[in-house]
Amino acid sequence: MRLTSTPGSDRPDPAESVAKPALILLAHDKAELRDELARVLSTSGWDVEAVDGRAAVATARRCRPDLILADAMIREPDSLPFAAALRHEAGFNEIPIILLSTQTTEEERSTKEERIECLAFGADDYLAPPFQECELLARVASHLALSRLRQEAAGRVLRSEGRLKAACDLVGISLYSWNPATDVFEWDDRIRAMWGLGSSAPLDMSVFLAGIHPGDRKRVETAMADCTDPAGDGVYHQEYRVVGIGDGVERWVTTHGRTCFEHGRAISFVGAAIEVTERKRSEAGLRASESRFREFAQHSTSVLWIIDLEGLRIEYLSPAFEAVWGRPPGAMPQGLELWTESIHADDRAHALAAMERVHVGKAAAAQYRIRRPDGGVRWIRDTFFPIRDEQGRAWRLGGIAQDITARGNTRVYVVGADRASRERLSLMLGRAGHEVQPFDAARAFLDAAPALLPGCVVLDFAASGDSGPLVVRELKARRIGLPVVAIGKSGGDVETAVQALKAGAVDWVEAPYGDDAMLAVVASALARAVGAAECDLAAELAQTRIAALSNRERQVLEGLLAGGTNKTIARELGLSPRTVEIHRAHVMESLGARTIADVVLLATAARLQPRA
């Protein structure tokens, strides 16, 4: 076999095909032809390592050429063709191999069979005589250029995969695939760990489904069937629990993926999964926290409220707002106009100034009066505080409004003592922090009693004469909740004290008395007054909620208070047990009750008696 020479101008320039001189391994048993081929390749600018067939594989392992040009007849000792022997070794899959035939034109049929055999065993190209020098050089240059392009593309893919892996590792995302035809999965170690599996455990659909929580399995199976339906969009997105097959640990997983279709058939699926156990735990904790907050707000006598600072809109008002402000929370517009108008004109600027301080991130407190729709006046102590976002910026305004009408504004009414005694007693009580209002006559006090603030009465029985017991009895008869502390001189006769207590006084103080003894008795009486006022507030709230029930719900409530069951109440009212159950649930919700015991307590506070 000889090469046919061609003009040098027809030769390809290897410098145009590759960036630097490539190393070509030339393997041929015919020394004359090997030398001629080496000359042609070297003259074209490539580095050439020329050896005979016996040294071909060893030389290839040693020098790692960029291209191999070899005799098609070279065989390994085990008769394995040269190309096949190299392809079985790591690192030689991407090196181009061109095999040269030694057949003549008369052996054309054998040449075709040899070509097919060479290509089947891993050769990239095959040259049969006769061929021109330029054809050989063109094929070598072409394969070197294609090899360089493949290497560059492989490098870009590796770099891209590296960046993708780094990004996935950074956020904990795992990529996976699924073959819908064979039900075989490909998972990385991170997904295997979610399922409690080792790195060598086999994966298929049965393993995948075995790890999914029984409560979520049917939903996941349905979603997988939907995403492989050619009639759909192939999109898959699910969030479910996984119970580790090997470790029994419950984890939450969220996954997104898409199915690829071909000719109306699902052929592959690629997805990404990430463990979200901590997020789900945080969400559960947040829901539990919100539930506790609403439970607290539902039963608190203080008004809890939240305002959006950006839009100055009311976002939340607790149920106690109705008992304090006299309006249902749902009746309040989102704006602050009605709330501002409810504040007493003399206190409005002070309250709004306290709210303004929260805009700059400071907590504040204010006491102010409000006017209710029924004309009543309540004293409010409001605590304002900022609610900050993750950046520390105040974006919500929260507050706790307490009705202190029966607390911070209690008074001690000194009645009936002579002027000197009234002044001395008033001075002593005032120094102790009490607000004191004296009355020189019992009748003047009784006339004013209905309009007085909550508190207690210090009544001088001796100075009041027969009016002393009258004052106590009349307060009791008129249901005016002002506890009476009687003071006087019994002279050793306990009958006077007994009469005062029988009339309704809560305590008796023997004169002369010490300041400490008087202050202790007054404090006890005021505590009794505050307790009574709080009971009245609870009763008012309970009465308001019960009044909002429908007639049928009221009938069901009365049946519950009488100890009836759903069936007995249904029989009595001519309803189905299911209908009674629905009314009962709404009654519980409306009253803010979780158990029948809570319902009984609310009914008792509202002074609602069960029917006989």
Side-chain angles (χ1 to χ4, degrees):
M1 180 182 72
R2 296 189 60 83
L3 296 179
T4 304
S5 298
T6 54
S9 58
D10 293 333
R11 295 184 177 187
D13 182 0
E16 296 179 0
S17 304
V18 293
K20 62 180 181 179
L23 175 61
I24 298 175
L25 172 62
L26 173 61
H28 210 288
D29 286 329
K30 294 182 178 181
E32 182 181 354
L33 180 58
R34 184 172 66 237
D35 292 342
E36 185 177 356
L37 289 171
R39 178 189 60 77
V40 170
L41 295 172
S42 299
T43 303
S44 297
W46 292 302
D47 295 333
V48 180
E49 183 85 18
V51 298
D52 60 20
R54 290 174 298 177
V57 173
T59 305
R61 291 170 181 161
R62 174 178 56 81
C63 67
R64 294 286 174 174
D66 297 303
L67 181 141
I68 297 173
L69 182 64
D71 182 2
M73 298 304 295
I74 295 176
R75 293 287 190 276
E76 287 294 280
D78 58 1
S79 298
L80 189 67
F82 173 67
L86 285 181
R87 292 304 190 210
H88 286 167
E89 296 195 20
F92 286 94
N93 288 331
E94 302 300 325
I95 297 177
I97 298 177
I98 302 175
L99 296 181
L100 300 174
S101 173
T102 57
Q103 303 290 342
T104 64
T105 54
E106 290 78 12
E107 299 168 312
E108 182 177 352
R109 178 176 178 81
S110 298
T111 300
K112 290 181 179 180
E113 292 175 353
E114 186 180 77
R115 177 192 299 270
I116 293 172
E117 182 186 57
C118 289
L119 295 176
F121 279 115
D124 294 279
D125 207 347
Y126 177 89
L127 270 175
F131 55 82
Q132 294 185 344
E133 179 182 320
C134 64
E135 181 183 2
L136 171 66
L137 295 177
R139 294 202 186 195
V140 169
S142 174
H143 281 289
L144 284 172
L146 289 174
S147 176
R148 178 63 59 87
L149 290 175
R150 284 196 297 268
Q151 291 174 13
E152 291 176 353
R156 287 194 296 271
V157 170
L158 285 175
R159 289 191 294 274
S160 177
E161 288 179 346
R163 289 192 295 269
L164 178 60
K165 184 178 185 304
C168 289
D169 290 342
L170 184 64
V171 296
I173 292 178
S174 294
L175 303 180
Y176 68 96
S177 64
W178 165 47
N179 186 330
T182 63
D183 275 343
V184 173
F185 289 81
E186 289 187 11
W187 289 352
D188 64 7
D189 289 342
R190 200 158 31 225
I191 299 184
R192 287 174 174 271
M194 295 178 196
W195 262 253
L197 298 173
S199 59
S200 60
L203 297 173
D204 57 20
M205 181 62 72
S206 62
V207 175
F208 168 71
L209 293 176
I212 298 177
H213 191 284
D216 300 334
R217 191 173 299 153
K218 184 174 180 59
R219 172 168 53 85
V220 172
E221 289 180 311
T222 301
M224 294 185 71
D226 289 344
C227 81
T228 54
D229 184 353
D233 57 9
V235 174
Y236 173 81
H237 175 213
Q238 285 293 303
E239 195 166 271
Y240 50 84
R241 293 162 292 175
V242 172
V243 180
I245 296 173
D247 55 20
V249 176
E250 182 177 296
R251 302 173 177 91
W252 275 95
V253 176
T254 185
T255 176
H256 298 254
R258 183 183 290 274
T259 305
C260 293
F261 298 93
E262 189 174 279
H263 307 302
R265 185 171 59 88
I267 61 169
S268 65
F269 176 94
V270 177
I274 184 170
E275 183 179 346
V276 292
T277 306
E278 289 303 317
R279 191 201 79 196
K280 298 296 287 188
R281 287 174 180 168
S282 298
E283 290 175 353
L286 180 60
R287 285 194 299 271
S289 177
E290 290 178 347
S291 176
R292 288 192 295 269
F293 166 76
R294 293 191 178 276
E295 180 111 4
F296 170 75
Q298 187 78 16
H299 295 89
S300 175
T301 56
S302 297
V303 180
L304 280 62
W305 51 268
I306 299 175
I307 291 174
D308 172 21
L309 280 177
E310 185 173 346
L312 290 179
R313 297 186 304 272
I314 298 174
E315 290 191 347
Y316 178 76
L317 281 175
S318 67
F321 181 82
E322 184 173 358
V324 178
W325 258 262
R327 301 175 186 272
M332 286 291 287
Q334 284 192 321
L336 301 180
E337 295 81 7
L338 191 57
W339 173 78
T340 303
E341 291 174 4
S342 71
I343 300 174
H344 195 287
D346 294 342
D347 302 334
R348 195 171 296 153
H350 171 61
L352 294 178
M355 179 182 287
E356 283 297 322
R357 286 197 290 275
V358 183
H359 281 266
V360 296
K362 296 181 179 179
Q367 289 189 18
Y368 55 86
R369 290 163 291 177
I370 62 168
R371 290 192 179 276
R372 292 161 49 96
D374 59 10
V377 176
R378 295 285 178 91
W379 274 94
I380 306 297
R381 175 177 174 79
D382 216 338
T383 302
F384 307 81
F385 53 88
I387 301 174
R388 303 181 186 277
D389 59 16
E390 294 179 354
Q391 288 73 42
R393 180 178 61 93
W395 69 307
R396 294 288 189 274
L397 169 61
I400 303 173
Q402 298 172 283
D403 183 352
I404 59 171
T405 306
R407 298 185 191 181
N409 292 280
T410 56
R411 291 185 181 179
V412 180
Y413 302 103
V414 178
V415 180
D418 60 80
R419 181 174 180 178
S421 297
R422 284 199 307 272
E423 290 179 354
R424 186 184 71 81
L425 186 55
S426 298
L427 181 61
M428 183 264 291
L429 293 171
R431 285 175 178 171
H434 297 292
E435 187 173 349
V436 182
Q437 182 174 349
F439 287 87
D440 57 359
R443 178 46 56 188
F445 166 72
L446 288 173
D447 290 342
L452 296 178
L453 288 174
C456 72
V457 181
V458 177
L459 178 62
D460 189 331
F461 258 52
S464 300
D466 294 338
S467 299
L470 176 64
V471 169
V472 180
R473 284 194 292 267
E474 191 160 342
L475 288 176
K476 186 176 180 180
R478 292 160 64 180
R479 297 183 179 275
I480 298 175
L482 294 173
V484 176
V485 175
I487 58 175
K489 296 181 180 180
S490 63
D493 182 6
V494 298
E495 185 62 28
T496 305
V498 170
Q499 288 180 358
L501 296 175
K502 282 185 175 181
V506 297
D507 215 332
W508 172 269
V509 178
E510 183 74 18
Y513 49 82
D515 290 354
D516 290 343
M518 176 57 73
L519 289 174
V521 171
V522 168
S524 176
L526 287 175
R528 183 190 293 261
V530 169
E534 289 181 342
C535 287
D536 290 342
L537 184 60
E540 183 178 348
L541 178 60
Q543 289 167 354
T544 301
R545 291 179 179 177
I546 290 174
L549 298 176
S550 67
N551 290 334
R552 183 64 79 187
E553 290 166 349
R554 180 69 177 262
Q555 290 173 336
V556 171
L557 172 60
E558 291 174 351
L560 293 174
L561 295 176
T565 64
N566 288 353
K567 289 184 178 180
T568 59
I569 296 173
R571 225 173 11 249
E572 185 175 342
L573 299 180
L575 303 173
S576 70
R578 176 59 181 160
T579 302
V580 172
E581 184 180 351
I582 294 171
H583 285 308
R584 174 176 176 165
H586 191 261
V587 167
M588 302 283 282
E589 181 182 358
S590 299
L591 298 183
R594 299 177 62 185
T595 65
I596 291 298
D598 293 339
V599 173
V600 173
L601 289 175
L602 280 165
T604 302
R607 302 180 180 90
L608 179 66
Q609 298 297 323
R611 64 175 184 267

